[in-house]
């Protein structure tokens, strides 16, 4: 099988696990999001498609890049995730040595299909997560 065809077949399998999500008109004029680079803004929308019904996903930059930027070789998903984190659009956290991403505003802006499976990922209440100066424990209202 040619290399390009193999990549397309592989990505097709991953893309099937993505979900349809809504983009509201306010997204385009969000001042907090405007502080991010164009690539980070596109990544943010792409994360919605990867996230489960609770707005949670695994923090795996290589997989995220493969799903959202499959044909862009110059994209660094880890740096873009960090940019979104520093602009307080996502939370990066760790539970039992596994890393995750949470989108705190997810439930406010998304209408979840009734047949979408329940989340199997741990929430970020009492989880350790990275900050600009170290680690701290989140004691917020999200699970």
């Amino acid at each position: 099988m040619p290399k390009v065809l193999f990549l397309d077949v592989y990505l097709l399998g991953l893309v099937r696990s993505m979900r349809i999500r809504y983009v509201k008109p306010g997204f385009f004029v969000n001042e907090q999001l405007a502080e991010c680079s164009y690539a980070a803004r596109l990544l943010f929308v792409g994360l919605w498609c990867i996230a489960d019904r609770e707005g949670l996903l695994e923090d795996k930059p290589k997989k995220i890049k493969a799903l959202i930027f499959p044909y862009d070789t110059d994209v660094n998903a880890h740096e873009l995730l960090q940019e979104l984190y520093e602009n307080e659009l996502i939370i990066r956290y760790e539970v039992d040595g596994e890393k995750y991403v949470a989108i705190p505003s997810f439930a406010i802006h998304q209408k979840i299909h009734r047949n979408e499976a329940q989340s199997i990922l741990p929430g970020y209440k009492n989880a350790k997560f990275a900050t600009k100066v170290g680690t701290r424990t989140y004691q917020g209202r999200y699970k």
Side-chain angles (χ1 to χ4, degrees):
M1 182 178 290
K3 187 175 183 179
V4 173
L5 182 58
F6 174 77
L7 178 62
D8 288 341
V9 170
Y10 173 74
L11 289 175
L12 181 61
L14 289 176
V15 169
R16 285 188 184 140
S17 67
M18 295 176 77
R19 299 156 184 93
I20 296 171
R21 300 294 188 206
Y22 297 94
V23 179
K24 295 180 180 178
F27 171 84
F28 301 100
V29 293
N30 181 303
E31 291 182 6
Q32 184 180 11
L33 197 56
E35 297 299 317
C36 297
S37 66
Y38 178 76
R41 287 181 270 163
L42 185 57
L43 176 69
F44 189 53
V45 173
L47 292 178
W48 302 345
C49 296
I50 299 171
D52 65 18
R53 67 180 300 136
E54 303 295 330
L56 306 175
L57 61 142
E58 294 176 310
D59 191 343
K60 295 185 175 182
K62 287 182 182 179
K63 182 177 180 181
I64 291 169
K65 188 236 179 261
L67 288 168
I68 300 173
F69 300 104
Y71 303 110
D72 298 301
T73 57
D74 60 339
V75 171
N76 185 324
H78 176 72
E79 289 178 2
L80 295 175
L81 287 165
Q82 194 59 29
E83 183 178 348
L84 292 172
Y85 173 78
E86 290 172 1
N87 282 285
E88 300 179 352
L89 292 161
I90 64 170
I91 294 173
R92 299 180 90 179
Y93 64 102
E94 184 176 330
V95 175
D96 297 328
E98 297 293 325
K99 295 181 180 182
Y100 302 95
V101 171
I103 307 167
S105 62
F106 186 82
I108 298 167
H109 299 289
Q110 296 300 314
K111 181 178 177 184
I112 305 305
H113 191 277
R114 67 181 180 277
N115 294 336
E116 189 171 329
Q118 295 294 319
S119 178
I120 59 170
L121 300 178
Y124 55 96
K125 186 175 182 181
N126 299 322
K128 284 187 174 181
F129 63 100
T131 66
K132 296 173 192 171
V133 292
T135 60
R136 62 185 168 134
T137 301
Y138 180 78
Q139 299 288 338
R141 63 183 177 94
Y142 298 97
K143 66 177 187 174

PDB file of all heavy atoms in Angstrom, residues 120-133:
ATOM      1  N   ILE A 120     -15.995   8.813  29.534  1.00  0.00           N
ATOM      2  CA  ILE A 120     -15.263   7.823  30.322  1.00  0.00           C
ATOM      3  C   ILE A 120     -13.972   8.429  30.868  1.00  0.00           C
ATOM      4  O   ILE A 120     -13.214   7.755  31.558  1.00  0.00           O
ATOM      5  CB  ILE A 120     -14.949   6.559  29.492  1.00  0.00           C
ATOM      6  CG1 ILE A 120     -14.111   6.909  28.259  1.00  0.00           C
ATOM      7  CG2 ILE A 120     -16.230   5.833  29.100  1.00  0.00           C
ATOM      8  CD1 ILE A 120     -13.548   5.715  27.522  1.00  0.00           C
ATOM      9  N   LEU A 121     -13.735   9.706  30.544  1.00  0.00           N
ATOM     10  CA  LEU A 121     -12.516  10.380  30.993  1.00  0.00           C
ATOM     11  C   LEU A 121     -12.754  11.031  32.349  1.00  0.00           C
ATOM     12  O   LEU A 121     -13.855  11.508  32.629  1.00  0.00           O
ATOM     13  CB  LEU A 121     -12.091  11.442  29.974  1.00  0.00           C
ATOM     14  CG  LEU A 121     -11.788  10.925  28.571  1.00  0.00           C
ATOM     15  CD1 LEU A 121     -11.440  12.079  27.648  1.00  0.00           C
ATOM     16  CD2 LEU A 121     -10.661   9.913  28.602  1.00  0.00           C
ATOM     17  N   PRO A 122     -11.715  11.076  33.184  1.00  0.00           N
ATOM     18  CA  PRO A 122     -11.873  11.724  34.486  1.00  0.00           C
ATOM     19  C   PRO A 122     -11.958  13.236  34.336  1.00  0.00           C
ATOM     20  O   PRO A 122     -11.290  13.824  33.492  1.00  0.00           O
ATOM     21  CB  PRO A 122     -10.598  11.322  35.238  1.00  0.00           C
ATOM     22  CG  PRO A 122      -9.593  11.074  34.171  1.00  0.00           C
ATOM     23  CD  PRO A 122     -10.367  10.539  32.996  1.00  0.00           C
ATOM     24  N   GLY A 123     -12.813  13.846  35.120  1.00  0.00           N
ATOM     25  CA  GLY A 123     -12.912  15.299  35.138  1.00  0.00           C
ATOM     26  C   GLY A 123     -11.715  15.907  35.835  1.00  0.00           C
ATOM     27  O   GLY A 123     -10.801  15.211  36.279  1.00  0.00           O
ATOM     28  N   TYR A 124     -11.702  17.218  35.966  1.00  0.00           N
ATOM     29  CA  TYR A 124     -10.505  17.858  36.507  1.00  0.00           C
ATOM     30  C   TYR A 124     -10.666  18.427  37.909  1.00  0.00           C
ATOM     31  O   TYR A 124      -9.771  19.096  38.403  1.00  0.00           O
ATOM     32  CB  TYR A 124      -9.977  18.936  35.556  1.00  0.00           C
ATOM     33  CG  TYR A 124     -10.956  20.002  35.152  1.00  0.00           C
ATOM     34  CD1 TYR A 124     -11.013  21.216  35.820  1.00  0.00           C
ATOM     35  CD2 TYR A 124     -11.790  19.813  34.076  1.00  0.00           C
ATOM     36  CE1 TYR A 124     -11.878  22.204  35.429  1.00  0.00           C
ATOM     37  CE2 TYR A 124     -12.651  20.792  33.665  1.00  0.00           C
ATOM     38  CZ  TYR A 124     -12.701  21.989  34.346  1.00  0.00           C
ATOM     39  OH  TYR A 124     -13.565  22.966  33.952  1.00  0.00           O
ATOM     40  N   LYS A 125     -11.743  18.117  38.604  1.00  0.00           N
ATOM     41  CA  LYS A 125     -11.852  18.555  39.989  1.00  0.00           C
ATOM     42  C   LYS A 125     -10.813  17.810  40.819  1.00  0.00           C
ATOM     43  O   LYS A 125     -10.706  16.588  40.739  1.00  0.00           O
ATOM     44  CB  LYS A 125     -13.245  18.290  40.538  1.00  0.00           C
ATOM     45  CG  LYS A 125     -13.425  18.866  41.919  1.00  0.00           C
ATOM     46  CD  LYS A 125     -14.832  18.708  42.420  1.00  0.00           C
ATOM     47  CE  LYS A 125     -14.936  19.363  43.791  1.00  0.00           C
ATOM     48  NZ  LYS A 125     -16.258  19.224  44.356  1.00  0.00           N
ATOM     49  N   ASN A 126     -10.035  18.538  41.571  1.00  0.00           N
ATOM     50  CA  ASN A 126      -8.955  18.001  42.414  1.00  0.00           C
ATOM     51  C   ASN A 126      -7.813  17.377  41.615  1.00  0.00           C
ATOM     52  O   ASN A 126      -7.011  16.631  42.160  1.00  0.00           O
ATOM     53  CB  ASN A 126      -9.493  16.977  43.423  1.00  0.00           C
ATOM     54  CG  ASN A 126     -10.495  17.595  44.361  1.00  0.00           C
ATOM     55  OD1 ASN A 126     -10.333  18.738  44.785  1.00  0.00           O
ATOM     56  ND2 ASN A 126     -11.543  16.874  44.672  1.00  0.00           N
ATOM     57  N   ALA A 127      -7.737  17.635  40.330  1.00  0.00           N
ATOM     58  CA  ALA A 127      -6.646  17.096  39.503  1.00  0.00           C
ATOM     59  C   ALA A 127      -5.473  18.062  39.497  1.00  0.00           C
ATOM     60  O   ALA A 127      -5.643  19.265  39.657  1.00  0.00           O
ATOM     61  CB  ALA A 127      -7.133  16.877  38.072  1.00  0.00           C
ATOM     62  N   LYS A 128      -4.283  17.519  39.306  1.00  0.00           N
ATOM     63  CA  LYS A 128      -3.114  18.369  39.126  1.00  0.00           C
ATOM     64  C   LYS A 128      -3.089  18.829  37.678  1.00  0.00           C
ATOM     65  O   LYS A 128      -3.383  18.070  36.776  1.00  0.00           O
ATOM     66  CB  LYS A 128      -1.827  17.599  39.411  1.00  0.00           C
ATOM     67  CG  LYS A 128      -1.547  17.368  40.854  1.00  0.00           C
ATOM     68  CD  LYS A 128      -0.167  16.765  41.008  1.00  0.00           C
ATOM     69  CE  LYS A 128       0.198  16.653  42.467  1.00  0.00           C
ATOM     70  NZ  LYS A 128       1.543  16.086  42.637  1.00  0.00           N
ATOM     71  N   PHE A 129      -2.746  20.099  37.484  1.00  0.00           N
ATOM     72  CA  PHE A 129      -2.578  20.548  36.117  1.00  0.00           C
ATOM     73  C   PHE A 129      -1.535  21.649  36.071  1.00  0.00           C
ATOM     74  O   PHE A 129      -1.244  22.305  37.059  1.00  0.00           O
ATOM     75  CB  PHE A 129      -3.902  20.979  35.478  1.00  0.00           C
ATOM     76  CG  PHE A 129      -4.579  22.154  36.109  1.00  0.00           C
ATOM     77  CD1 PHE A 129      -4.464  23.416  35.555  1.00  0.00           C
ATOM     78  CD2 PHE A 129      -5.355  21.993  37.234  1.00  0.00           C
ATOM     79  CE1 PHE A 129      -5.107  24.495  36.121  1.00  0.00           C
ATOM     80  CE2 PHE A 129      -6.003  23.066  37.809  1.00  0.00           C
ATOM     81  CZ  PHE A 129      -5.885  24.327  37.249  1.00  0.00           C
ATOM     82  N   ALA A 130      -0.947  21.802  34.909  1.00  0.00           N
ATOM     83  CA  ALA A 130       0.154  22.737  34.737  1.00  0.00           C
ATOM     84  C   ALA A 130      -0.342  24.175  34.732  1.00  0.00           C
ATOM     85  O   ALA A 130      -1.400  24.475  34.213  1.00  0.00           O
ATOM     86  CB  ALA A 130       0.885  22.437  33.432  1.00  0.00           C
ATOM     87  N   THR A 131       0.440  25.041  35.332  1.00  0.00           N
ATOM     88  CA  THR A 131       0.195  26.477  35.223  1.00  0.00           C
ATOM     89  C   THR A 131       1.480  27.094  34.698  1.00  0.00           C
ATOM     90  O   THR A 131       2.464  26.405  34.472  1.00  0.00           O
ATOM     91  CB  THR A 131      -0.150  27.108  36.590  1.00  0.00           C
ATOM     92  OG1 THR A 131       0.993  27.010  37.432  1.00  0.00           O
ATOM     93  CG2 THR A 131      -1.334  26.420  37.237  1.00  0.00           C
ATOM     94  N   LYS A 132       1.480  28.382  34.535  1.00  0.00           N
ATOM     95  CA  LYS A 132       2.663  29.057  34.018  1.00  0.00           C
ATOM     96  C   LYS A 132       3.834  28.969  35.002  1.00  0.00           C
ATOM     97  O   LYS A 132       4.967  29.112  34.619  1.00  0.00           O
ATOM     98  CB  LYS A 132       2.324  30.511  33.711  1.00  0.00           C
ATOM     99  CG  LYS A 132       1.304  30.650  32.611  1.00  0.00           C
ATOM    100  CD  LYS A 132       0.866  32.076  32.442  1.00  0.00           C
ATOM    101  CE  LYS A 132      -0.359  32.133  31.557  1.00  0.00           C
ATOM    102  NZ  LYS A 132      -0.964  33.435  31.500  1.00  0.00           N
ATOM    103  N   VAL A 133       3.535  28.758  36.289  1.00  0.00           N
ATOM    104  CA  VAL A 133       4.604  28.750  37.290  1.00  0.00           C
ATOM    105  C   VAL A 133       4.709  27.450  38.080  1.00  0.00           C
ATOM    106  O   VAL A 133       5.399  27.395  39.067  1.00  0.00           O
ATOM    107  CB  VAL A 133       4.427  29.925  38.285  1.00  0.00           C
ATOM    108  CG1 VAL A 133       4.653  31.240  37.600  1.00  0.00           C
ATOM    109  CG2 VAL A 133       3.059  29.885  38.940  1.00  0.00           C
TER     110      VAL A 133
END
